[in-house]
Amino acid sequence: MPADAPTTPTDETNPGSRLLEGLTEQQRLATRTLEGPVLVLAAAGSGKTRVTTRRIAYLIERGEPAWSILAVTFTNKAAREMRERIERTLIEAGLASGTPRGLICTTFHSLCARLLRRYADAAGLPADYSIYDTADQLTLVKRVIAGLELSTTNFPPRSVLSSISNAKNELIDAEAFERQAGDFSTRHLARIYKGYEAGKRQAGAVDFDDLLLLTARLLGEDATVRRECQDRWRWLLIDEYQDTNRAQFVIASLLAGTREERGRDPNIFVVGDPDQAIYSWRGADITNILEFEERFANATVIPLGENFRSTAPILGVADTLIRQNRQRKHKDLFTSTQGGSRVEVTLCRDEGHEASLVVDWFKRFGEEGLDGEGRPLAWRDMAVFYRTNALSRAVEDELRRSGVPYVVVRGTAFYQREEVKTALAYLRLAANQSDDVSLTRVVNTPTRGIGKASLAAAQQFASERGLPLFEALRRAEEIPSVSARAANGMRAFVAMVDSWTGAGTFMGTDVAASLRDLAERVIEESGLEAHYRKLAAKQAEGEEADASRVENLEELVSSAAAFEEDYDPADDPMRFDEAMTGDAGTAGVPDLLGVLRAYLESVSLVADADLESSEDGAVTLMTLHAAKGLEFAAAAIIGLEEGQLPHSRAHTSEADLEEERRLCFVGITRAMRRLHMTASRYRTVRGVSERTIPSRFLEEIGTEHVTLSDQSDPFAGIEGTGMGAASSPRRLGTGGPRELSSADEVERAAAGDKLAAGLAAGTTVRHPRFGIGVIETVSGGANARAQVNFRGIGLKTLVLEYARLEPVD
DNA sequence: GTTGCCAAGTTTTTT
DNA sequence: ACTTGGCAAC
């Protein structure tokens, strides 16, 4: 600690702290206003993470114990980013050599998972509860719908789940839902909701939304628990506050406490930017920002407006775009930096062209650096953003071809692989034998003679007696309609799982010695590995061997082993007493069950596989949602097309459209020095190449800071309307495509002629849908058409501009 | 009970 | 395109 640092926590000025150096007046205010509720309205790039991390360091510098600080974010990436920044700040300030023990910096979901684990009794949960992911939820809800003899046509499982999820985000449980259910369909929904809840309870499982709902309920109803949490956490910080939903707001409120409970105004510090609210589809509620001042009296509101991240042109583009949002409190984005390259907008032919263009752009920076500085830019300083994960494909291919290292941030992909999920289901069953969903998944994978019929009998046997399915299998002989063969299979299965876990005791000589050992035994003794190996070998006879599944299983073992390596139960900041007294407790002897639970929790909640990285890192590919909170020297946003960004699913309301615009805004403001936005004239979606029209956002960014380049081959068609103009008349808000289509008519006529010239009568052509045909007649001009006689289909008249006929020999 | 084939639905974004 | 589910054949 610096010698001149005052140590009294009540000293508000602390003029000597190095932690306040290099901050603007407003940033300094946000950093050192420690007491009472604080709401920071931080524009993009205004240093909000900087302020948050300095604030935490400042608290620590002033002698506040690390365990009394709770920092909550919305996504795992944000949490990790903040942990790293805190660590760096503390080290730089000479306050710590790492993340101080007991400091919690995590996501809402993860925090709740830990709280529910700690207070499982009070929450009415088993300590070994499982967390169901979307696929598990789907399985269960389907089972419930079938059990209620309802049809999945009237009640599509996905939309049922989304109704349930929405309800939970509003803290409406099954009973409350039923009470307010009016019409026929909603009453049935309520029944499904109840059945779904019962299924989870029976399995000792919770879903993602339960983590929040149950925690909110726990804190609200159990005064002892609430008291304990409030006593421990005196300093509450919430990042990305604009993305919190109702449940999260309630949790934050309860953790903060009231003035009556605390005897003073709670120290709750929230940072948010309404312009970056992009999670309304998950129930995020912007009114949480507005309500902050109501809920917390005497709140200090601090605006952070100045942008320190991006060059003036990038900021200009961002500002011009976001001004189109009507439901917005106006706010000026400004920077005091001068100069900077214009934002590049390029129209490409197709996704392959787009990808190579972007990769070439990166390679130039990799060689020459930015703006001809000569100092090469590291790969890690470059990123590609896109609206949907599917768009990464072409860019990945191109990067691989060019030998440019890259990482795709694709949340859960690895853990959602079939083989990985199955292996994890085995592990979950080992951790929690009541987990019927996991059991059902693995009991006959690979096949061991326990088919649908036998399983149904066991199911019945179990539910008659209120037993977990696993117990029914254990008593296979007692189940009347189960064949000897199936009973054998069941017994062997139970014996196998028992041998891993010492029949659930995790004691005894046969029990797996470590998590790694357990994982290895699971994939081997279950026959999973052999199963996929055989499958791969079989395929190899044909053409391509798919060894990746076996590799994935091996990778899972490595991931488990790596987790185990790092795991230190004493690090668990949820161990209140140890955290608060500094007593390491039972450190060093993590029992297998403890590691296993922690591991399973981490794979359900922290699903981003964090691979990487070579010397100067790798180019990062991610969705716009994932990009929030990050920054890169050079960034490309691809797929700026109607239907993609804004996404077609978000076309319905003005509010949705504005969220898409904010999403685009988030992407733009990630770029520090160079920004490239691309649209592709054709894009292959689900196997078929489709015409696109450039995103309205490309018009809305204006022309002042932009260099527009149309590299789409006029031969492949010109600015057209296709689906766009027809399906969205006058396009919401800003009118038609002006800049891009001013020369439209002339160009269209010329291009039509050109298209027609290439396709004389008698030419054989291929059409993506109709196949091979011969041209009979052709016309030119703006709406050039051709009559084509297709094999087996007959005569069709096609508009050349859209038809994409390819001449063939 | 198991395997293999065809039809259908799926895809926004994250925990 | 790509996976999942249902159904018929083995």
Side-chain angles (χ1 to χ4, degrees), chain A residues 474-517:
Chain A
R474 196 186 287 287
R475 292 157 60 175
E477 298 76 15
E478 298 174 38
I479 311 173
S481 54
V482 167
S483 68
R485 184 176 155 192
N488 266 334
M490 290 179 183
R491 220 176 305 111
F493 178 77
V494 170
M496 174 178 74
V497 177
D498 276 349
S499 83
W500 299 331
T501 67
T505 63
F506 286 85
M507 285 183 290
T509 45
D510 280 350
V511 172
S514 63
L515 183 57
R516 174 192 208 114
D517 185 34

Side-chain angles (χ1 to χ4, degrees), chain A residues 642-643 648 651-652 693 696 721-732:
Chain A
E642 289 293 311
S648 49
H651 251 213
T652 44
I693 55 171
R696 68 194 75 193
T721 44
M723 55 188 206
S727 63
S728 57
R730 277 336 268 164
R731 317 257 199 90
L732 303 164

Side-chain angles (χ1 to χ4, degrees), chain A residues 192-315:
Chain A
I192 301 172
Y193 190 173
K194 282 182 110 173
Y196 170 74
E197 291 302 304
K200 278 191 289 109
R201 204 173 318 120
Q202 155 96 68
V206 302
D207 62 26
F208 282 124
D209 301 314
D210 287 334
L211 293 173
L212 303 178
L213 178 95
L214 295 177
T215 303
R217 187 189 290 162
L218 172 70
L219 290 170
E221 290 174 0
D222 193 316
T224 315
V225 173
R226 186 168 67 241
R227 178 92 257 159
E228 221 172 294
C229 291
Q230 288 176 359
D231 282 348
R232 170 170 174 183
W233 291 305
R234 297 191 50 217
W235 309 99
L236 200 55
L237 300 94
I238 300 171
D239 192 20
E240 308 287 10
Y241 186 68
Q242 75 282 354
D243 286 326
T244 52
N245 62 30
R246 187 76 216 157
Q248 288 162 328
F249 175 73
V250 168
I251 292 167
S253 281
L254 289 166
L255 287 175
T258 59
R259 208 181 330 183
E260 288 67 41
E261 283 171 320
R262 295 226 180 231
R264 55 167 170 77
D265 285 319
N267 303 325
I268 177 171
F269 172 87
V270 305
V271 205
D273 177 6
D275 283 338
Q276 295 185 67
I278 53 176
Y279 284 101
S280 70
W281 53 275
R282 280 227 64 237
D285 188 352
I286 205 76
T287 59
N288 286 348
I289 285 204
L290 310 173
E291 273 179 36
F292 186 82
E293 288 176 81
E294 287 171 32
R295 163 65 180 81
F296 298 102
N298 306 321
T300 311
V301 180
I302 304 171
L304 293 181
E306 185 173 359
N307 179 296
F308 300 98
R309 178 186 294 147
S310 308
T311 59
I314 291 172
L315 213 58

Side-chain angles (χ1 to χ4, degrees), chain A residues 320-380:
Chain A
T320 313
L321 176 71
I322 201 67
R323 278 166 185 271
Q324 309 283 335
N325 272 4
R326 307 230 169 122
Q327 316 255 23
R328 171 179 185 256
K329 218 172 119 198
H330 176 74
K331 171 169 75 186
D332 275 314
L333 282 175
F334 61 100
T335 175
S336 40
T337 58
Q338 307 276 314
S341 303
R342 290 164 83 89
V343 172
E344 290 163 74
V345 172
T346 308
L347 302 177
C348 318
R349 278 191 305 275
D350 52 35
E351 62 269 7
H353 181 212
E354 180 180 51
S356 71
L357 209 120
V358 168
V359 173
D360 285 346
W361 192 63
F362 284 153
K363 286 205 300 211
R364 206 161 66 234
F365 298 148
E367 282 155 22
E368 305 161 14
L370 293 177
D371 310 317
E373 278 172 354
R375 188 161 40 86
L377 190 66
W379 297 125
R380 74 160 62 85

Side-chain angles (χ1 to χ4, degrees), chain A residues 17-80:
Chain A
S17 177
R18 287 211 314 245
L19 291 167
L20 296 175
E21 283 170 16
L23 299 178
T24 64
E25 199 48 51
Q26 291 295 81
Q27 288 176 333
R28 208 171 302 154
L29 187 65
T31 304
R32 62 162 208 239
T33 307
L34 299 177
E35 311 275 341
V38 180
L39 167 63
V40 176
L41 292 170
S46 62
K48 110 192 130 76
T49 311
R50 193 163 191 221
V51 164
T52 311
T53 53
R54 295 263 191 134
R55 183 183 174 90
I56 290 171
Y58 192 57
L59 282 165
I60 288 173
E61 185 185 66
R62 297 162 60 105
E64 296 296 325
W67 51 256
S68 69
I69 301 170
L70 173 62
V72 190
T73 67
F74 190 69
T75 63
N76 289 307
K77 194 159 324 83
R80 187 175 45 207

Side-chain angles (χ1 to χ4, degrees), chain A residues 101-114:
Chain A
R101 182 156 285 193
L103 175 72
I104 296 186
C105 177
T106 187
T107 63
F108 267 104
H109 285 85
S110 175
L111 171 75
C112 291
R114 304 258 188 88

